[in-house]
């Protein structure tokens, strides 16, 4: 039992990094958790085992966010698996830092498909299952709030789109008692952005706390929003960025 017991959640990109931490946390709070992944079935299975060892319920399904039918099917399969869907976490995303002039059309299409179209379609599919108290939580980025160094044009464009989606959906789904929010992580130590990688020292220095955050820091905010703490929070963007935007 926990604050989310009896609820079911879907976390996209739950095999590693921030998504895995969110899946583990929501399960620890009592939710049955479905998670998607692209390639790493081994890591997705490990997250499922970790949750089950702790007494929770979890299930992993492969769904490439760049494939619209796979996105829709994964939402339907998660709702079917647990007989309900209460929380959608749009987490899967691609990070790109590259000079504007050199970004190819394929890169633009790939990043927008995964970072923007997939959350849009997943929210649309989830809205058919969510009821009163339902939650849609997307993972944006502090880079959409403050372009603190060059190279973020495509990434910031994609993550800024989630701000529009969040506000518009909060208006549209509010009358049904469903909340829609955006979480804006700062530099978080994952495979995408390792705390010992090139450029990590600069990112840490750009925060107020002077250090990277951990995936569990983002998961705590998601759990707050997913639970009772999020009851009267909607259309909002919550930073978990160590003061990157301060
Ligand atoms: P990681 O690269 O560490 O993990 C990415 C996760 O997404 C994996 O589970 C991966 O699956 C999955 N994934 C990647 N591509 C696809 C795809 N095409 N279809 C389905 N799943 C996919 O990323 P992070 O944990 O660092 O980032 C998670 C989110 O947080 C992203 O949206 C990112 O933009 C955002 N973010 C991250 C920050 C950071 O500093 N780390 C800062 C701000 C925002 P698989 O294991 O199968 O490859």
């Amino acid at each position: 039992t926990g604050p989310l017991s009896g609820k079911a959640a879907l976390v996209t990109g739950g095999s590693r990094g921030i998504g895995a931490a969110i899946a583990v946390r929501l399960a620890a709070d009592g939710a049955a958790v479905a998670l998607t992944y692209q390639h790493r079935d081994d890591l997705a299975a490990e997250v499922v085992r970790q949750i089950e060892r702790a007494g929770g319920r979890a299930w992993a399904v492969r769904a490439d966010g760049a494939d619209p039918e796979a996105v829709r099917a994964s939402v339907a399969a998660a709702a079917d698996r647990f007989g309900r869907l209460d929380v959608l976490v749009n987490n899967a995303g691609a990070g790109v830092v590259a000079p504007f002039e050199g970004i190819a059309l394929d890169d633009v299409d790939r990043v927008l498909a995964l970072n923007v179209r997939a959350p849009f379609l997943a929210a649309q599919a989830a809205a058919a299952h969510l009821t009163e108290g339902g939650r849609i939580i997307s993972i944006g980025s502090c880079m959409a709030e403050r372009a603190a160094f060059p190279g973020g044009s495509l990434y910031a464009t994609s993550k800024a789109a989630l701000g529009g989606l969040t506000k518009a959906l909060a208006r549209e789904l509010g009358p049904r008692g469903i909340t829609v929010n955006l979480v804006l992580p700062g530099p978080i130590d994952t495979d995408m952005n390792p705390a010992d990688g090139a450029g990590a020292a600069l990112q840490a220095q750009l925060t107020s706390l002077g250090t990277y955050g951990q995936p569990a820091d983002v998961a705590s905010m998601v759990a707050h929003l997913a639970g009772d703490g999020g009851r009267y929070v909607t259309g909002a963007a919550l930073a978990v960025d160590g003061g990157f935007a301060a």
Side-chain angles (χ1 to χ4, degrees):
T1 62
L4 297 179
S5 68
K7 310 249 178 193
L10 170 63
V11 182
T12 69
S15 48
R16 294 183 281 131
I18 293 170
I22 293 169
V24 167
R25 174 62 194 268
L26 296 183
D29 284 0
V33 177
L35 54 103
T36 71
Y37 61 94
Q38 183 184 22
H39 297 303
R40 298 301 304 268
D41 51 349
D42 55 328
L43 296 179
E46 183 47 48
V47 174
V48 169
R49 277 195 295 274
Q50 185 186 339
I51 290 171
E52 287 176 345
R53 273 198 302 269
R57 283 175 79 196
W59 178 65
V61 59
R62 175 159 198 258
D64 181 356
D67 175 350
E69 286 317 313
V71 171
R72 292 188 177 121
S74 66
V75 175
D80 193 46
R81 178 87 187 183
F82 298 126
R84 59 187 298 138
L85 185 64
D86 303 281
V87 182
L88 167 68
V89 183
N90 285 311
N91 164 79
V96 248
V97 178
F100 179 55
E101 300 79 9
I103 294 174
L105 178 59
D106 277 359
D107 296 325
V108 176
D109 287 345
R110 181 179 56 85
V111 171
L112 293 182
L114 179 59
N115 291 10
V116 182
R117 189 176 65 188
F120 186 98
L121 294 178
Q124 207 173 37
H129 299 279
L130 297 173
T131 55
E132 172 85 30
R135 308 276 197 257
I136 297 174
I137 301 163
S138 298
I139 308 300
S141 170
C142 64
M143 299 258 295
E145 296 296 296
R146 179 183 174 219
F149 48 85
S153 59
L154 177 53
Y155 187 61
T157 298
S158 72
K159 291 298 189 180
L162 296 176
L165 177 64
T166 297
K167 289 183 182 183
L169 279 189
R171 284 285 171 194
E172 205 152 329
L173 299 178
R176 290 174 49 193
I178 297 164
T179 69
V180 188
N181 290 291
L182 184 62
V183 173
L184 305 173
I188 304 294
D189 186 15
T190 65
D191 294 340
M192 181 190 286
N193 186 9
D196 60 359
L202 169 68
Q203 289 180 65
Q205 197 192 327
L206 286 167
T207 69
S208 299
L209 294 174
T211 183
Y212 265 54
Q214 296 301 317
D217 296 323
V218 182
S220 292
M221 177 63 84
V222 171
H224 175 73
L225 291 170
D228 218 37
R231 217 178 61 88
Y232 199 61
V233 182
T234 195
L238 294 313
V240 183
D241 69 353
F244 182 93

